[in-house]
């Protein structure tokens, strides 16, 4: 099967990045969100990132225009689903929302369409089970920021077939990414390892061991991490971090994954990190 039309659902920080990298590699992309304002926000963030590449002399205005001409924004799920060869879902990290969307996609998409989820931690098998095509459902987990990070973690659900796996692996390579195969367990590999570190960093602040700045300095200057864990948590989104910890906690039933109460408190306050203007740090 060959893929020409890709529909990306969710025009937030991940969805817009995923739409950008597919369009850069020559695919025709439809970027969908629930409201026109969110679609426009996603499109303008792509435009800004491509504009910076032109300013730096790394790409031309013609290349930028050509990439943008391959991305169409919409709020109409039916149209976006009907023409897709591949759907990549990048909506909120909550099972009810994903399941409801995958049920609709299964109804609306042609029989050949592969349904991929960019979920950070939720079981692909459970998402696939609400469709009549579980063999065509797969995890295609990009890292943030999508245009920069090389990894795509590919997650096989219990029923994912080899043809679907091979297709998504091949597409990841066409995007210039490095695919890594993992099986379907809570948090996969990336967030099973990363998120407990971030959660532990939040506990060190919660318990008064050190300030956020000190924790980040320790990890940046002492361990050579490009961002400290609290800067990274703000960058990922504290809501997403909390949902991932909840999935690990529930999925393994082990108290070592208990989300830090401070993380919960910040999310309840609407302090979601960079995207809301405040998290462990304040953003203008
Ligand atoms: N979107 C697109 N491109 C971006 C970007 C963004 N948000 N932020 C930075 N870049 C680009 C810059 O344009 C620049 O590109 P050029 O070299 O072509 O000019 C390049 O990245 C380097 O940027 P900077 O020099 O401004 O900054 P930096 O050297 O500090 O790098 C970073 C920025 C790449 C984000 C780096 O800090 C980093 O690697 N941070 C850690 C990111 C990380 O761990 N990501 C994984 C998060 S976990 C995840 O994604 C999984 C999940 O499920 C939660
Ligand atoms: P975000 O909050 O930036 O964007 C989510 C977007 O989805 C919003 O624009 C929202 O309006 C839209 N949306 C919500 N429900 C929708 C629906 N039913 N239909 C259409 N659009 C809908 O979130 P994000 O950081 O882009 O994360 C999206 C997904 O990617 C999550 O599953 C997350 O776990 C995963 N992910 C996030 C990161 C990260 O670093 N933030 C990294 C890898 C994977």
């Amino acid at each position: 099967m060959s893929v020409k039309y890709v529909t990306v659902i969710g025009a937030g920080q991940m969805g817009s990045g995923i739409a950008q990298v597919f369009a850069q590699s020559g695919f025709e992309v439809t970027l969908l969100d629930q409201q026109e304002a969110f679609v426009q926000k996603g499109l303008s963030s792509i435009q800004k990132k491509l504009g910076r590449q032109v300013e730096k002399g790394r790409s031309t205005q013609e290349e930028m225009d050509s990439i943008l001409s391959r991305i169409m924004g919409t709020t109409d799920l039916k149209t976006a689903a009907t023409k897709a060869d591949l759907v990549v879902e990048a909506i909120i990290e909550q099972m009810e929302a994903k399941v409801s969307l995958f049920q609709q996609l299964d109804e609306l998409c042609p029989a050949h369409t592969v349904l991929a989820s960019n979920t950070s931690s939720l079981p692909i098998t459970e998402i696939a089970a609400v469709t009549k095509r579980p063999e065509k459902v797969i995890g295609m987990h990009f890292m943030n920021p999508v245009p920069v990070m090389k990894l795509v973690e590919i997650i096989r659900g219990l029923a994912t077939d080899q043809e679907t796996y091979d297709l998504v692996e091949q597409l990841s390579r066409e995007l210039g990414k490095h695919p890594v195969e993992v099986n379907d367990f809570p948090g996969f590999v990336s967030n099973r390892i990363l998120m407990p570190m971030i959660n532990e960093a939040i506990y060190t602040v919660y318990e008064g061991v050190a300030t956020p700045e000190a924790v980040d300095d320790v990890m940046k200057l002492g361990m050579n991490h490009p961002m400290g864990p609290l800067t990274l948590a703000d960058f990922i989104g504290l809501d997403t971090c909390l949902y991932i910890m909840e999935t690990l906690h529930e999925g393994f039933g082990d108290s070592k994954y208990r989300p830090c109460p401070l993380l919960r408190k910040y999310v309840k306050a609407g302090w979601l990190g960079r995207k809301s203007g405040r998290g462990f740090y304040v953003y203008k």
Side-chain angles (χ1 to χ4, degrees), residues 9-10 12-14 32-34 38 90-93 98 118-120 141-142 144 236 240 275:
I9 306 196
Q13 54 177 340
M14 293 307 290
L32 178 139
D33 209 299
Q34 284 171 319
F38 299 150
I91 69 167
I92 187 169
E93 184 74 350
K98 306 246 191 223
N118 183 53
T119 178
S120 293
H141 185 204
F142 291 84
N144 189 12
I236 291 167
T240 302
K275 64 182 163 188

Side-chain angles (χ1 to χ4, degrees), residues 88-187:
V88 183
E89 166 276 313
I91 69 167
I92 187 169
E93 184 74 350
Q94 285 191 339
M95 188 51 107
E96 312 84 77
K98 306 246 191 223
V99 158
S100 152
L101 177 63
F102 272 74
Q103 274 167 337
Q104 293 177 69
L105 288 169
D106 192 36
E107 297 277 317
L108 296 169
C109 289
H112 74 275
T113 308
V114 165
L115 305 180
S117 174
N118 183 53
T119 178
S120 293
S121 61
L122 295 167
I124 298 301
T125 305
E126 201 175 326
I127 296 172
V130 303
T131 73
K132 295 188 192 77
R133 61 178 93 189
E135 72 287 354
K136 287 192 169 357
V137 178
I138 192 162
M140 190 176 191
H141 185 204
F142 291 84
M143 301 294 127
N144 189 12
V146 180
V148 179
M149 307 303 277
K150 286 278 173 227
L151 177 70
V152 176
E153 201 177 30
I154 306 182
I155 303 102
R156 284 179 191 269
L158 199 56
T160 310
D161 67 15
Q162 192 60 37
E163 193 188 350
T164 301
Y165 181 84
D166 291 344
L167 177 76
V168 169
E169 188 186 66
Q170 175 57 29
L171 286 171
S172 303
R173 290 193 203 284
E174 283 176 41
L175 302 179
K177 303 293 184 195
H178 183 95
V180 170
E181 177 182 356
V182 310
N183 287 322
D184 191 15
F185 275 86

Side-chain angles (χ1 to χ4, degrees), residues 179-250:
V180 170
E181 177 182 356
V182 310
N183 287 322
D184 191 15
F185 275 86
F188 317 128
V189 171
S190 53
N191 282 313
R192 182 166 176 174
I193 296 172
L194 174 70
M195 214 39 80
M197 182 194 71
I198 287 178
N199 197 45
E200 201 59 34
I202 301 173
Y203 268 114
T204 59
V205 173
Y206 178 62
E207 291 169 5
V209 180
T211 62
E213 290 82 359
V215 171
D216 278 351
D217 279 349
V218 166
M219 298 306 286
K220 258 192 318 185
L221 306 176
M223 283 76 187
N224 255 1
H225 288 199
M227 281 175 169
L230 300 167
T231 303
L232 182 57
D234 275 358
F235 180 60
I236 291 167
L238 299 186
D239 51 344
T240 302
C241 293
L242 176 60
Y243 300 145
I244 296 169
M245 283 312 297
E246 281 172 342
T247 302
L248 291 172
H249 194 209
E250 195 189 308

